[in-house]
Amino acid sequence: MDGAHSAALQLQQLPPTSSASTLSETSFSYKENLIGALLAIFGHLVVSIALNLQKYCHIRLAGSKDPRAYFKTKTWWLGLFLMLLGELGVFASYAFAPLSLIVPLSAVSVIASAIIGIIFIKEKWKPKDFLRRYVLSFVGCGLAVVGTYLLVTFAPNSHEKMTGENVTKHLVSWPFLLYMLVGIILFCLLLYFYKEKNANNIVVILLLVALLGSMTVVTVKAVAGMLVLSIQGNLQLDYPIFYVMFVCMVATAVYQAAFLSQASQMYDSSLIASVGYILSTTIAITAGAIFYLDFIGEDVLHICMFALGCLIAFLGVFLITRNRKKAIPFEPYISMDAMPDSYLHNRQLLFKRYSNSRNVPHHYLESL
């Protein structure tokens, strides 16, 4: 009788222990999400500050008579150090939080750049003009902050260890192989139209960047996760998949930067920032959901709120970048390339003819 009673007591105590263990794992996953989100936010903030410092350095040297090159100034080197620190923080964040959470947080850099730009305005303005001119930036920053809060709150809680076996298993899974096949076909088609048909539309170029960027973030998460596990004592550097992922990460990042450079030569930077953020974030989240199964086990409410956070962040970034001034390049009134060769030839003959004459005014020779 006593044995049956004690067994019944043990059975009654089992469910609370199991639920407590589940609660502990859930709280730990939220803790990892928070660490990853904070690292990403910190990294993007520091990178934004670094870029603005370097821009300030270039502007100050261009507006002064300082003969020094930009790389000989302390401000530029401080910007470079902060940029490396920020990129390191963003890189480390992929090892703690799901890819679907880290990628959209790049909106933080857009918010920071907008705020820094408003604070360091050198123009004189009245309060009414300031509000009318920057109301879109304020609304955009508010929406981006709300979207970021929703992203962090309702982000997926998948925290699989990035071991060599797990990465290899995901790499050869049929959903990701199907995604790779569709992505390669789409990339080749876009590249054909861009190179052969001169389809220089910004959407075409930034879709190429987004497809490459999705592979970049997938490989970054694998490399960062395996490095963190190796530092913690679980060595992963002896797996060939680590080096495969590392090579893919570097290659896709280089080609992505090349396409971005081409886009920046044809389109305004604010347009590239808004359209590129929307396309890259959407495709990267899709790639993360397929490769790392980020949303497996998540309820519909969390997924819908996460999607709502993305949409609000997209709208905020669009409003912030829409308010930026477009850079108008300097164009001379008369281009020397547009002048006929006969005109240039005659100028050279006149200069040779009158250069030795003492009766010709000096300012006339300079005009030739």
Side-chain angles (χ1 to χ4, degrees):
M1 193 70 181
D2 293 338
H5 183 66
S6 62
L9 288 176
Q10 289 180 359
L11 288 175
Q12 290 176 358
Q13 293 174 356
L14 281 177
T17 305
S18 177
S19 62
S21 175
T22 305
L23 182 62
S24 176
E25 292 178 359
T26 303
S27 62
F28 180 72
S29 66
Y30 278 114
K31 181 180 178 182
E32 284 194 328
N33 270 14
L34 183 60
I35 293 174
L38 290 177
L39 281 173
I41 291 172
F42 168 79
H44 287 302
L45 281 174
V46 173
V47 167
S48 180
I49 294 172
L51 290 174
N52 281 278
L53 272 177
Q54 291 187 332
K55 183 178 180 180
Y56 169 75
C57 174
H58 288 291
I59 293 174
R60 188 181 64 178
L61 288 177
S64 65
K65 298 181 180 180
D66 194 342
R68 293 181 301 170
Y70 64 89
F71 53 84
K72 293 184 179 180
T73 61
K74 295 180 181 180
T75 306
W76 188 86
W77 282 104
L78 176 61
L80 180 63
F81 171 76
L82 290 177
M83 185 182 297
L84 294 175
L85 180 64
E87 293 292 350
L88 181 62
V90 175
F91 179 80
S93 67
Y94 283 94
F96 294 94
L99 187 151
S100 302
L101 169 61
I102 300 301
V103 170
L105 291 180
S106 59
V108 173
S109 62
V110 181
I111 301 172
S113 296
I115 295 175
I116 293 173
I118 292 174
I119 291 175
F120 291 100
I121 289 174
K122 300 299 182 182
E123 300 175 355
K124 295 180 180 180
W125 40 262
K126 297 178 181 180
K128 292 182 179 180
D129 296 334
F130 180 81
L131 290 175
R132 185 176 65 252
R133 184 174 178 181
Y134 294 100
V135 64
L136 285 180
S137 293
F138 288 129
V139 174
C141 288
L143 290 174
V145 170
V146 172
T148 302
Y149 172 77
L150 292 176
L151 289 171
V152 175
T153 304
F154 296 99
N157 291 310
S158 58
H159 293 277
E160 184 181 21
K161 296 297 183 182
M162 290 294 101
T163 61
E165 293 89 349
N166 290 335
V167 174
T168 305
K169 178 186 68 176
H170 290 306
L171 187 63
V172 298
S173 63
W174 71 264
F176 184 70
L177 292 177
L178 180 61
Y179 171 81
M180 282 290 296
L181 178 62
V182 174
I184 290 173
I185 294 174
L186 181 59
F187 184 85
C188 292
L189 287 175
L190 291 172
L191 190 62
Y192 170 77
F193 283 108
Y194 176 62
K195 294 293 186 180
E196 301 296 332
K197 302 297 182 179
N198 293 324
N200 294 329
N201 188 280
I202 188 172
V203 176
V204 174
I205 303 175
L206 294 183
L207 271 175
L208 291 169
V209 173
L211 289 170
L212 289 170
S214 66
M215 292 306 303
T216 302
V217 294
V218 165
T219 52
V220 164
K221 181 170 178 59
V223 171
M226 295 176 77
L227 281 175
V228 169
L229 284 178
S230 300
I231 293 173
Q232 293 175 349
N234 187 4
L235 185 64
Q236 301 294 318
L237 302 185
D238 52 353
Y239 288 95
I241 191 63
F242 172 81
Y243 301 98
V244 172
M245 288 292 187
F246 181 81
V247 171
C248 290
M249 177 186 71
V250 174
T252 53
V254 169
Y255 282 105
Q256 185 181 356
F259 281 115
L260 276 176
S261 176
Q262 295 174 20
S264 64
Q265 295 174 7
M266 294 182 286
Y267 294 97
D268 186 68
S269 59
S270 60
L271 185 61
I272 295 174
S274 59
V275 178
Y277 173 75
I278 294 172
L279 292 177
S280 298
T281 303
T282 303
I283 297 179
I285 290 176
T286 304
I290 294 173
F291 190 91
Y292 293 110
L293 307 175
D294 285 345
F295 294 95
I296 294 296
E298 295 292 327
D299 55 60
V300 178
L301 177 61
H302 274 71
I303 296 176
C304 291
M305 293 301 294
F306 180 82
L308 179 63
C310 288
L311 292 175
I312 294 175
F314 290 166
L315 180 59
V317 170
F318 174 76
L319 291 178
I320 293 172
T321 55
R322 184 179 176 83
N323 194 52
R324 290 184 181 176
K325 285 185 176 180
K326 293 183 179 180
I328 302 175
F330 171 76
E331 294 182 359
Y333 292 104
I334 300 176
S335 176
M336 294 299 292
D337 296 333
M339 292 183 177
D341 294 337
S342 59
Y343 176 76
L344 298 176
H345 181 65
N346 291 336
R347 286 170 62 91
Q348 293 175 358
L349 290 178
L350 287 173
F351 182 81
K352 290 180 180 179
R353 181 176 178 180
Y354 295 116
S355 60
N356 296 324
S357 177
R358 297 180 180 179
N359 298 324
V360 179
H362 181 67
H363 64 84
Y364 179 75
L365 292 175
E366 286 183 349
S367 65
L368 295 175

